[in-house]
């Protein structure tokens, strides 16, 4: 199961995405692909707005974490 947690803390927005959806085998899962697409779309939008995001990823484990300033 994929868990997405988002919130604001200490002046930053934080997003954590963990786990595999389990809809299909790893590498074939369209649900995971959709979640990844949304996450990367948000990161690209932040980049277009010149907002720096700190990103950590562990693709095989199904983890992504990013944070960005709330005051931009």
């Amino acid at each position: 199961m994929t868990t997405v947690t988002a919130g604001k803390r200490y002046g930053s927005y934080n997003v954590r995405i963990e786990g595999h959806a389990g809809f299909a085998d790893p590498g074939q899962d369209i649900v995971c692909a959709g979640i990844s697409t949304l996450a990367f779309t948000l990161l690209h939008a932040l980049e277009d707005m010149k907002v720096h995001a700190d990103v950590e990823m562990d693709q095989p484990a199904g983890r992504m974490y990013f944070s960005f300033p709330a005051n931009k």
Side-chain angles (χ1 to χ4, degrees):
M1 173 173 50
T2 304
T3 303
V4 179
T5 308
K8 182 179 174 185
R9 188 171 190 195
Y10 303 119
S12 291
Y13 291 111
N14 305 288
V15 179
R16 181 179 305 278
I17 304 168
E18 295 182 291
H20 290 286
F23 181 79
D25 292 333
Q28 303 296 314
D29 196 320
I30 61 170
V31 176
C32 283
I35 293 167
S36 296
T37 299
L38 291 172
F40 282 106
T41 299
L42 174 57
L43 289 173
H44 285 288
L46 290 170
E47 186 177 293
D48 287 348
M49 295 185 308
K50 308 281 190 261
V51 176
H52 174 75
D54 293 317
V55 181
E56 296 176 27
M57 279 189 286
D58 182 355
Q59 187 175 355
R63 280 193 292 266
M64 180 180 204
Y65 172 80
F66 54 95
S67 64
F68 54 94
N71 59 355
K72 267 278 187 176

